[in-house]
Amino acid sequence: MQLPRFESSPTFRLFTVLAFTVALAVPIALVWIVVELRSEYEQEVSAEISQGWGDEQVLIGPFLRLKVSTPVTASADTTTRDTQTQSYFLAPRRLVVQSASEHEERQKGIFKKPVYVATLQLDGSFKNDLVKFAERRNVDIADIESCSVQIALSYSQTIRSLSGHFAGRELDFEPSSQRLGWGGEPVQARLDKSECIGGDFQLKLVARGSNRQSVALVGDESALVMNASWPHPSFEGRQLPDSYEISPSGFSAEWTSNALARGFASELDENEWLGVTKGSVVGFSFHEPVTLYRMVTRAVKYGFFVVGLTLLSIYCLEMITGVKIHVIQYAIVGAALALFYLLLLSFSEHIGFVASYLVATSVLLILIVGYAWFSTRRAKFSGSLAALLIGVYAALYLCLASTDYALLIGSLLLVVLLAGLMYATRNMVRDAKELDEL
């Protein structure tokens, strides 16, 4: 006879609700593990798409490469001399880069990844004083064997086209055997020896890529204008843009730099040039402000709080209306609350997060409210429960959609819950006395 009285005790029921809340942390944690596994798989697929299409593109150049033969050792025989070839790289005096990127989506299975095709127009000029160069390097002008225009790209296999002119004549580019320290793959166009003094150049490059796009401002005076159809850029690199405009259809940004700001000298030997790194570049990455798995993960992180809030709210509703809910029914409702997150993840991979949230919330609402109606046959209780669930999951969505106000919304919900508990348990002492008198 004591066991039924104990089960009907408000205190027992409250601790039962708290125990179920703690126990439901286990299935919620399992859903979290599933989310992490799906997120890792999505990243693997993303990496495969990038490998096939082209990963982040970094452009460094152009440089004017001078190949100079210098004596190795002195010989008594003046008719022959041992020599070795050294390369020197001269930065342009002026460089203007205009980049236009159009992004699209590539899909593998159910996963999509944004990629882009970039068209870069490079204009500028080289002006070299070979006499002073020979004096600085302690060589003879006659020892300059050849020269070429050289640029480096992260992945030369993604180049769709590369053409240009130097001093009024067309350039013919070919692969170079050199590799930069960060893995850049140079291509070069050979020049006549008479063109080593410099001249104006115009280059046009079309290349594919993904994730990010960067350009090194290598000129003594450099300017870069980037336009892209991606509406969520994350600017990064050696310096931020001087100005930019972002709209739903894309963005436009401008950079300027000079010889003091670029991070390396105007004249480099081969070792110095090979050491030019991606730390000298500016650009942007294709930032996605809210990814699907990030949103689902955040929802799961709120899971323990939401489940506890919902069960305690049902307890308050039970105390206020006088409707008795069995312990097993609390367990079934808790299982439905945990199932919400698995439904959210499953649908999100196919129809997007917002639509999935509406579907999962609707399914949860139908299950719990329908179960309450058929269990109690109380329209008022079922209607109040429906309003309660709508309020809780509307507040959860506001927390997910606005990180700036998540703490404020959560705090207000706790205040409302505490007020409800105070109101529901205001007669707990009197109810306990009545139980003792039975």
Side-chain angles (χ1 to χ4, degrees):
M1 188 68 184
Q2 289 183 346
L3 185 59
R5 290 175 58 191
F6 186 53
E7 287 182 347
S8 61
S9 167
T11 303
F12 171 77
R13 304 177 76 81
L14 177 59
F15 279 103
T16 301
V17 170
L18 295 176
F20 278 138
T21 301
V22 174
L24 287 171
V26 175
I28 292 174
L30 294 177
V31 174
W32 192 345
I33 293 174
V34 174
V35 174
E36 292 299 317
L37 291 175
R38 298 296 292 176
S39 179
E40 290 177 4
Y41 180 58
E42 189 267 344
Q43 292 175 7
E44 292 176 3
V45 173
S46 177
E48 291 177 4
I49 295 175
S50 293
Q51 185 177 4
W53 178 268
D55 209 335
E56 61 178 275
Q57 287 291 14
V58 178
L59 174 67
I60 294 183
F63 289 92
L64 189 64
R65 178 187 183 188
L66 302 181
K67 296 181 71 175
V68 182
S69 60
T70 57
V72 177
T73 57
S75 175
D77 185 2
T78 57
T79 61
T80 61
R81 142 177 113 157
D82 295 330
T83 62
Q84 67 178 6
T85 301
Q86 294 184 351
S87 294
Y88 297 94
F89 297 84
L90 307 179
R93 294 290 180 88
R94 180 180 60 86
L95 175 64
V96 177
V97 183
Q98 294 183 329
S99 172
S101 302
E102 292 293 331
H103 90 276
E104 56 185 88
E105 285 187 339
R106 291 284 159 169
Q107 184 169 353
K108 185 175 181 179
I110 63 173
F111 300 107
K112 297 179 180 180
K113 179 178 181 61
V115 298
Y116 65 85
V117 177
T119 302
L120 295 98
Q121 184 73 42
L122 297 88
D123 297 278
S125 61
F126 292 99
K127 292 182 181 179
N128 307 319
D129 189 332
L130 297 184
V131 174
K132 291 184 178 180
F133 167 78
E135 291 176 354
R136 287 193 300 270
R137 296 296 177 175
N138 195 24
V139 298
D140 195 323
I141 294 180
D143 293 333
I144 299 177
E145 294 182 350
S146 64
C147 58
S148 60
V149 174
Q150 194 149 342
I151 64 173
L153 202 65
S154 300
Y155 301 94
S156 60
Q157 70 269 25
T158 64
I159 296 176
R160 301 297 89 192
S161 65
L162 176 58
S163 59
H165 293 80
F166 187 91
R169 75 175 185 88
E170 188 173 355
L171 296 175
D172 185 17
F173 283 92
E174 61 184 9
S176 174
S177 59
Q178 293 175 305
R179 291 294 182 270
L180 289 176
W182 50 271
E185 301 175 348
V187 294
Q188 63 182 1
R190 301 182 186 276
L191 302 177
D192 295 332
K193 191 173 181 180
S194 60
E195 295 174 320
C196 294
I197 60 173
D200 296 336
F201 63 84
Q202 301 84 36
L203 306 176
K204 184 178 181 180
L205 169 67
V206 179
R208 302 188 312 196
S210 60
N211 297 320
R212 56 177 49 85
Q213 180 189 349
S214 304
V215 176
L217 303 179
V218 301
D220 292 341
E221 296 294 333
S222 300
L224 168 64
V225 177
M226 275 188 168
N227 296 283
S229 58
W230 186 255
H232 309 293
S234 176
F235 299 113
E236 53 193 27
R238 188 172 181 84
Q239 65 186 72
L240 296 177
D242 299 331
S243 61
Y244 63 88
E245 293 182 1
I246 301 176
S247 68
S249 60
F251 76 91
S252 175
E254 298 181 4
W255 288 261
T256 57
S257 185
N258 53 56
L260 298 176
R262 68 188 167 196
F264 52 85
S266 299
E267 183 182 304
L268 307 170
D269 60 28
E270 188 161 0
N271 289 332
E272 292 170 336
W273 185 77
L274 292 175
V276 173
T277 67
K278 292 190 287 187
S280 303
V281 302
V282 300
F284 72 97
S285 62
F286 278 35
H287 173 66
E288 294 185 71
V290 180
T291 62
L292 183 152
Y293 291 106
R294 187 183 304 170
M295 290 290 287
V296 176
T297 299
R298 287 178 57 197
V300 174
K301 287 180 179 179
Y302 285 111
F304 184 79
F305 171 74
V306 173
V307 168
L309 179 68
T310 305
L311 290 180
L312 286 174
S313 299
I314 294 175
Y315 170 79
C316 293
L317 193 61
E318 177 190 1
M319 295 292 292
I320 294 171
T321 60
V323 173
K324 296 299 181 182
I325 300 176
H326 198 275
V327 171
I328 295 178
Q329 291 175 317
Y330 270 110
I332 295 173
V333 170
L337 294 173
L339 182 63
F340 167 82
Y341 298 98
L342 190 59
L343 287 174
L344 180 62
L345 172 63
S346 303
F347 281 103
S348 292
E349 293 183 337
H350 299 278
I351 61 176
F353 180 81
V354 176
S356 301
Y357 194 90
L358 290 174
V359 170
T361 303
S362 300
V363 171
L364 183 70
L365 208 65
I366 293 172
L367 284 176
I368 295 179
V369 175
Y371 184 56
W373 163 251
F374 286 109
S375 299
T376 64
R377 299 292 180 175
R378 299 283 188 88
K380 183 177 180 181
F381 177 80
S382 301
S384 300
L385 181 59
L388 185 151
L389 291 173
I390 292 173
V392 169
Y393 283 90
L396 173 60
Y397 182 78
L398 290 177
C399 290
L400 298 175
S402 177
T403 56
D404 294 336
Y405 296 98
L407 180 60
L408 176 61
I409 295 172
S411 300
L412 292 176
L413 282 176
L414 288 176
V415 171
V416 172
L417 174 62
L418 182 59
L421 277 172
M422 289 179 175
Y423 181 78
T425 59
R426 68 193 186 279
N427 297 322
M428 185 172 287
V429 175
R430 185 184 65 187
D431 295 339
K433 289 182 178 178
E434 292 177 355
L435 285 173
D436 291 337
E437 292 174 358
L438 292 177

